[in-house]
Amino acid sequence: MHMPIIQVQVIEGRTDEQLSKLMESLTNAAAESLDVKKEQVRVLIQEVPNKHWGVGGKPKQG
């Protein structure tokens, strides 16, 4: 059984609802694109603090 695993990193601060919508959208896209069942798709979301997310060599602010 092939189980696609999707890993996503986002800056912290999203709501649980937003993260759930993202999981659902990614699952649907993978299932359709790869011709697998939704139950086979795994989505891992890692929230990264602003101070650990660099943009232009500096920590992201707010």
Side-chain angles (χ1 to χ4, degrees), residues 6-58:
I6 301 168
Q7 297 183 42
V8 179
Q9 294 177 318
V10 297
I11 296 175
E12 68 183 1
R14 304 313 199 289
T15 66
D16 288 346
E17 182 179 347
Q18 289 173 316
L19 296 176
S20 290
K21 283 183 180 180
L22 177 60
M23 283 185 201
E24 183 177 3
S25 295
L26 291 171
T27 297
N28 289 338
E32 181 180 330
S33 300
L34 301 174
D35 194 26
V36 296
K37 296 178 183 177
K38 291 181 188 180
E39 294 78 15
Q40 293 174 276
V41 179
R42 307 294 187 255
V43 178
L44 307 169
I45 298 177
Q46 178 183 17
E47 292 186 280
V48 180
N50 285 344
K51 65 182 180 178
H52 294 161
W53 192 287
V55 177
K58 298 182 180 182

